[in-house]
């Protein structure tokens, strides 16, 4: 298979401030890596050290590329993509379940809810590819996967020309999907952690990757 490039960069872990171009080969190796799988399993034990493990995961800068420079907002160049981070464990229903049913039941509900939403949004994305929506109603989703915690979803989509910022694109997509989302993820230099292949319910490789000459 010919190696193709994404406009996005990736980093080896959160403290890696030297992003590198992401090829299809690198992307697939991240999703298939046993180290990623094992680290995510530790995160999903939901213990006090979960955040430490999460920060060891590689991450993708879906919203910006950096041209070989440091991963700071001043060096960020738009990729044409953006990502919403849906944190179900921050929602009121989860907090209520913690109080009434306990930790195990609350996390079990959130994990099931994350998968249900991911599959519902996959169906919406697939339906749109055959029947494009009207202006302002486009989803243009290119990737959907369960987040490292297991209790959230990351949705990557194409930025729309009539939106003036990442924050505006995120608000619009979340409204169309009917979901809450993390409103602080508009930072152009933000990375989104990678999870194993089985967590990815939707991938539009054709849009995500292309020949280097066409980038």
């Amino acid at each position: 298979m010919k190696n193709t490039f994404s406009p996005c960069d990736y980093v080896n872990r959160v403290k890696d401030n030297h992003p590198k171009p992401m090829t299809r080969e690198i992307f697939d190796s991240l999703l298939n890596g046993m180290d990623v799988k094992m680290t995510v399993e530790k995160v999903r034990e939901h213990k006090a050290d979960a955040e430490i493990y999460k920060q060891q995961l590689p991450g993708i800068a879906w919203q910006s590329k950096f041209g070989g420079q440091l991963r700071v907002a001043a060096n960020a160049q738009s990729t044409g993509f953006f990502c919403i981070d849906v944190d179900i464990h921050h929602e009121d229903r989860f907090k209520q379940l913690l109080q009434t049913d306990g930790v195990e039941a609350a996390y079990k509900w959130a994990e099931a809810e994350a998968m249900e939403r991911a599959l519902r949004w996959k169906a919406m994305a697939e339906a749109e590819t055959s029947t494009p929506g009207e202006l302002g109603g486009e989803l243009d989703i290119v990737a959907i996967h369960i987040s490292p915690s297991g209790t959230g979803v990351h949705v990557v989509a194409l930025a729309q020309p009539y939106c003036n910022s990442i924050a505006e694109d995120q608000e619009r997509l979340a409204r169309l999907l009917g979901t809450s989302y993390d409103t602080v993820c508009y930072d152009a230099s933000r990375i989104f952690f990678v999870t194993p292949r089985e967590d990815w319910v939707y991938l539009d490789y054709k849009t995500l990757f292309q020949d280097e000459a066409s980038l």
Side-chain angles (χ1 to χ4, degrees):
M1 180 181 66
K2 182 179 180 181
N3 204 14
T4 53
F5 287 75
S6 165
C8 308
D9 287 341
Y10 80 100
V11 295
N12 292 316
R13 55 186 53 84
V14 71
K15 291 186 178 180
D16 177 7
N17 287 323
H18 298 275
K20 298 161 278 291
M22 185 172 68
T23 65
R24 166 77 182 266
E25 181 180 24
I26 290 170
F27 179 75
D28 284 335
S29 70
L30 293 176
L31 270 58
N32 296 331
M34 283 303 299
D35 54 340
V36 167
K37 184 177 179 64
M38 293 173 65
T39 302
V40 166
E41 287 175 354
K42 296 297 293 184
V43 174
R44 291 180 184 173
E45 291 177 359
H46 304 302
K47 295 180 179 178
D49 58 357
E51 189 65 26
I52 296 174
Y53 282 103
K54 188 169 76 169
Q55 291 183 5
Q56 296 174 14
L57 288 166
I60 298 173
W62 290 114
Q63 301 173 154
S64 299
K65 56 185 176 181
F66 299 89
Q69 303 182 80
L70 289 176
R71 182 171 61 86
V72 295
N75 296 331
Q77 308 165 45
S78 174
T79 61
F81 299 131
F82 69 96
C83 182
I84 61 170
D85 183 1
V86 179
D87 286 325
I88 295 168
H89 57 279
H90 289 169
E91 295 181 356
D92 290 342
R93 176 60 174 158
F94 177 81
K95 296 174 184 177
Q96 179 186 21
L97 286 171
L98 280 178
Q99 297 297 319
T100 60
D101 294 52
V103 172
E104 186 176 346
Y107 276 106
K108 186 176 181 179
W109 170 82
E111 289 167 355
E113 181 70 12
M115 182 57 72
E116 190 280 329
R117 292 189 201 181
L119 293 175
R120 172 158 34 99
W121 298 336
K122 172 190 177 182
M124 292 169 66
E126 290 175 339
E128 185 180 61
T129 59
S130 58
T131 310
E134 296 179 359
L135 183 67
E138 301 93 340
L139 299 175
D140 281 335
I141 292 171
V142 296
I144 303 171
H145 73 94
I146 304 300
S147 65
S149 67
T151 59
V153 187
H154 293 169
V155 184
V156 185
L158 287 169
Q160 299 300 318
Y162 46 81
C163 289
N164 297 313
S165 65
I166 291 172
E168 192 173 323
D169 264 311
Q170 290 173 331
E171 186 281 329
R172 183 193 64 85
L173 181 59
R175 175 169 40 82
L176 292 173
L177 296 178
T179 187
S180 67
Y181 70 105
D182 190 342
T183 58
V184 304
C185 293
Y186 59 82
D187 179 358
S189 62
R190 179 175 287 269
I191 63 165
F192 296 84
F193 293 114
V194 171
T195 56
R197 170 78 60 184
E198 57 264 30
D199 286 336
W200 295 69
V201 303
Y202 184 77
L203 268 173
D204 177 0
Y205 272 110
K206 185 177 180 180
T207 302
L208 284 172
F209 294 92
Q210 52 194 291
D211 291 342
E212 185 176 21
S214 62
L215 294 177

